[in-house]
Each structure stands twice: as C-alpha cells, then as structure tokens.
Amino acid sequence: MTWRDIIGLSFRNLYRRKSRTLLTVSGVVIGCCAVVIMISLGIGMKKSQEQMLAGMGNLMRITVTSAPQNVTKRSLLDKKGVDKIRKLQNIKSVVPKKVMELGELNLIAGDQARYQCGYVTVVGIPEKDLEDAGYIIKDGKKLTGRPGEVLAGEHLAYQFTDSRRPEGKNMVDYWSDEKAQPYFPILETDIEVAQKNEEKTENSGEGESQGKTSWKTLHKLKTAGVIKQDYDKGEETDSGIIMGMRDFERLQKELRKVVNTKNSREYSQVLVDVDDISHVETVEKEIKKLGYQTSSMESLRKPMEESVKQKQMMLAGLGAVSLFVAAIGIANTMIMSIVERTREIGILKALGCSLSDIRKEFLIEAGMIGFVGGIAGSLVSCGVSWIMNTYMGASLTGDSLAVMMNETASGAALSVIPPWLIGAAVLFSVVMGVGAGFFPSNRAVKISALEAMKA
C-alpha cells in the first residue's frame, strides 16, 4: 500500500469510531492543556522575576571598587587597573568614576547669591567614557569639552533655597507638585562653587552682635544639560553634578586648600557592563582575581533563578502526569481497536499487505489522535491563558497565587505562552501518540492471518 492508502484507511478507521476517538482525543487535549498552562505559569514567573530585577538595577552591570587596605592582594583602582579590566573577555564598556562631596561648600546662583544649595555630590568621568556611562539628556545638550561645563542631575535645581523667603517656605516642593518649576532656569544661569563666610559685627547701640554673610567664589560652572534621573546609573543623576575628568581634577585641585580634598590616582568606582547576562558571574570572578571588590545583581538573581527553575519543574511535572494518563488512554484505545479489527488484520495479511504497512497504519492512527489533541489542547491553552491574564492576573498579583510563587511583579502577565511552546506541545503530543501506539501495533503484526480469518 502507498502512504496515501495507509493514511486514508487510518482516517476512516478513526472516523468510524467517532465516540471512542473523541474521548481519547479529549484526554490528550486535557493532558496537553495541563502541560502548556503549567509551563506557561513558570515562564510567566520567570518574566516577572526579570521585570522585577530590571526595575531594581542593571542586571549586566558590575560595580568595581578598591579592596580594603588590610586585604593581602590589593590592587590600585587607577588607570592601569582599569586597562586590565578592559582587556577581560565579554566586556561591553568600562566607565571609571571619581566622586567628591563638596561638604560645607555651597553652590550659589542669582544676584547676591540669592539661591543656595549645599552638600552636593560631584562626579568626574573621563570625557571619552561619558557616552558609555549611558546618561540620558532630558534637557539641553551633551558636554562639548569647554572648561567649566557640567551636566546637572534632574532635580538639582530644586535643591536650591531662596534666601529671600522665610525658612520652611524657601524650597520648591516638586514631590507634591510634578508641574512645579524651580526658582531659576538652571540651563540659563551660571552657578558658582563658593565658600560661605560669616562675620559678626557688634551693634554699639544695643550691645548685640549681628551677622554679615559674604561669599568667596572658588569655581564657576556652566550647565550644558540636565540628566534624566536614573539611580541605576548613580545618585548623581538626581541632584548631583557630572563633569569631565579634566575639569573634575582641576576643581579638586582648586578646592584642596579649602576643603582638604585628596587628589588620589584611584577612582572611586568603576562601572563594568557585560555583553550578556550569562557572562556576569564569570567576569565578576575575573575582576576579583585582579584584587578588587565587586557588587552586582548576580548574587540576588542567581538564587531567584534557581527558585523559579524548581517551581517550573514542579509545574511541568504536574502537567506531565495528565499527559501520561492521556498516553495510557491512547494505548488502551489502540488495543481495543486491534481486538475489534482482528478479522480486518487477517484479511489485509491474506491480501498480501506487508507487516510494516499494518504497523504504519496503527502508528498513524495513534499519531493522528496525538496531533489533533495537541492542536486542540494548544488552542484551549491559549484561551485559558488569556482568561487568566485578563480576569485573574490583577486579583492574584500580590494575593494567594502570587504569595505562593513569591515571584510576581506588578503588571506582569501571569501566564506566558511563547510560539515555541505551542509547537513543542503539538510535536510532543504526536510523539507521545506514536509511542503509545507502538506496543499495540506490534501486537497487531504478530496476529496469525489464519487465526484472524477465523475470528
């Protein structure tokens, strides 16, 4: 017989026993649906975990700092050290940073130092690495290399107080009012780093002392652009100042006599971005071997990933039980079919039909049951997944199922069915069907033609 004859005969045999075939297919649908939904819940947990971790920080970033002084193998985090890090494999970018606190110095702006801001963090980054730092310019432009140019944090302008307003009402409350504007346009106003001097003068008439404030300008700054706030890239994006390393070291030198700052060759920290999340652990170990301390999201991501894998295996196992039961149903249907069709098998043998063709017929019937059940099960699974995400996701987030899974992020889909999962479900259903029909097909070919004719 040709393949066309075998497939046609298999289809007609299944159609003749519609009720039995439908019940068997229903078992496959339930099993397939159980597996797909369980795996989709696991994928949903993983996506939710990635979304949650991404909100906490850059998963592919390693922050490198100098090891403590008492560490035996300690390396300087200077230019040579940074060059060693750059030579490591799987590195996307390396951004060294120097950080300086202005301490008691202030930023002033406006006539007669009307606007004042204290305790500012200043960050210096090599000019060639500014682009790799990933700062997003919200307003203004990038640094052009002119002396004194800086980038301001998104909320730096809101940190200035108005000295002509009463205490408690001298700052703009941008937390309560998102549309609130700062007292002055920071891109159009020159800022100065200044030292505050207070002199006491005695009032001879009443014998009371009065204070007189003066300001000594130490360095002038010009804001080129305002950076969008992103704590993952550093706190300086909120209310700090970023400048090129040459300007930073020049400012540090000018302030050394006033605030006793150190002009160290070492960087405060180095931000290392890896090309792929799978390489973070390896790169981190290599950096530690160079004698530096590291920190990343890997220490948090790894245990969570292992936890999700365990739960995915548990869910997939629960679904596999249903599919195994469906496989038993297919095997049972095929055995019953052989018992009922013993005479038919004998006639086929008597007509000269080969044993391989008879085996193919039963295997194709089993495969058809698996294929139809896999297709139907996948469609049902997509419908169930949509219902879960639409009507159950919002109520379960942070509730019973989410607490059990302990991995659900707000706004994440509860069930995720990628295309490959549907294809794998259908393929597995077909393979399972053929596998379940293998024993019955072998039994069919072993039936004696003479005995089958007498049945």
Side-chain angles (χ1 to χ4, degrees), residues 345-455:
I345 295 171
I347 293 173
L348 289 174
K349 287 185 176 182
L351 292 175
C353 184
S354 66
L355 297 179
S356 62
D357 287 341
I358 295 174
R359 180 181 286 110
K360 289 175 186 177
E361 178 186 348
F362 284 94
L363 290 178
I364 288 174
E365 288 181 21
M368 283 182 176
I369 293 175
F371 178 75
V372 174
I375 293 292
S378 298
L379 294 176
V380 172
S381 299
C382 291
V384 172
S385 177
W386 179 82
I387 292 173
M388 292 176 67
N389 292 329
T390 304
Y391 298 103
M392 299 173 63
S395 61
L396 288 177
T397 301
D399 203 354
S400 56
L401 182 60
V403 171
M404 182 187 76
M405 300 306 182
N406 196 29
E407 305 292 345
T408 304
S410 178
L414 192 62
S415 171
V416 178
I417 302 180
W420 64 263
L421 181 57
I422 295 177
V426 174
L427 179 61
F428 186 73
S429 297
V430 173
V431 172
M432 180 203 67
V434 173
F438 186 77
F439 172 73
S441 65
N442 278 343
R443 183 175 176 179
V445 298
K446 291 179 180 178
I447 296 176
S448 169
L450 184 61
E451 292 179 3
M453 295 288 289
K454 292 179 181 180

Side-chain angles (χ1 to χ4, degrees), residues 39-59:
I39 293 178
S40 73
L41 288 173
I43 297 174
M45 280 193 297
K46 186 175 181 181
K47 294 285 185 183
S48 176
Q49 177 207 79
E50 292 174 352
Q51 180 180 329
M52 181 174 60
L53 289 174
M56 296 170 63
N58 190 338
L59 299 180

Side-chain angles (χ1 to χ4, degrees), residues 241-440:
I241 290 176
I242 299 96
M243 57 175 58
M245 190 61 74
R246 287 193 296 269
D247 278 346
F248 179 90
E249 292 176 346
R250 191 181 301 116
L251 173 63
Q252 199 174 43
K253 185 177 181 180
E254 292 176 2
L255 302 183
R256 194 183 309 165
K257 297 179 181 179
V258 180
V259 294
N260 193 28
T261 59
K262 291 183 179 180
N263 188 19
S264 174
R265 293 187 296 116
E266 287 196 83
Y267 296 108
S268 303
Q269 60 180 218
V270 176
L271 304 180
V272 179
D273 283 347
V274 183
D275 58 4
D276 190 85
I277 194 171
S278 61
H279 298 145
V280 173
E281 186 177 5
T282 304
V283 173
E284 197 166 2
K285 288 180 180 178
E286 292 298 322
I287 294 175
K288 286 180 179 179
K289 288 180 181 179
L290 295 176
Y292 304 114
Q293 282 188 326
T294 64
S295 63
S296 68
M297 297 294 293
E298 189 69 7
S299 58
L300 181 61
R301 186 189 70 86
K302 205 72 174 178
M304 292 180 68
E305 188 179 63
E306 292 298 324
S307 175
V308 168
K309 283 182 179 179
Q310 292 177 0
K311 291 169 183 175
Q312 284 179 318
M313 293 296 293
M314 178 188 70
L315 293 172
L318 292 174
V321 172
S322 300
L323 205 56
F324 178 72
V325 173
I328 295 176
I330 294 176
N332 180 63
T333 298
M334 299 310 299
I335 290 175
M336 292 296 296
S337 179
I338 290 170
V339 173
E340 293 178 355
R341 293 158 57 189
T342 303
R343 183 182 293 273
E344 177 187 330
I345 295 171
I347 293 173
L348 289 174
K349 287 185 176 182
L351 292 175
C353 184
S354 66
L355 297 179
S356 62
D357 287 341
I358 295 174
R359 180 181 286 110
K360 289 175 186 177
E361 178 186 348
F362 284 94
L363 290 178
I364 288 174
E365 288 181 21
M368 283 182 176
I369 293 175
F371 178 75
V372 174
I375 293 292
S378 298
L379 294 176
V380 172
S381 299
C382 291
V384 172
S385 177
W386 179 82
I387 292 173
M388 292 176 67
N389 292 329
T390 304
Y391 298 103
M392 299 173 63
S395 61
L396 288 177
T397 301
D399 203 354
S400 56
L401 182 60
V403 171
M404 182 187 76
M405 300 306 182
N406 196 29
E407 305 292 345
T408 304
S410 178
L414 192 62
S415 171
V416 178
I417 302 180
W420 64 263
L421 181 57
I422 295 177
V426 174
L427 179 61
F428 186 73
S429 297
V430 173
V431 172
M432 180 203 67
V434 173
F438 186 77
F439 172 73

Side-chain angles (χ1 to χ4, degrees), residues 101-114:
E101 302 288 343
L102 291 184
E104 297 181 356
L105 299 181
N106 293 69
L107 296 182
I108 60 173
D111 296 334
Q112 299 179 352
R114 176 176 177 176

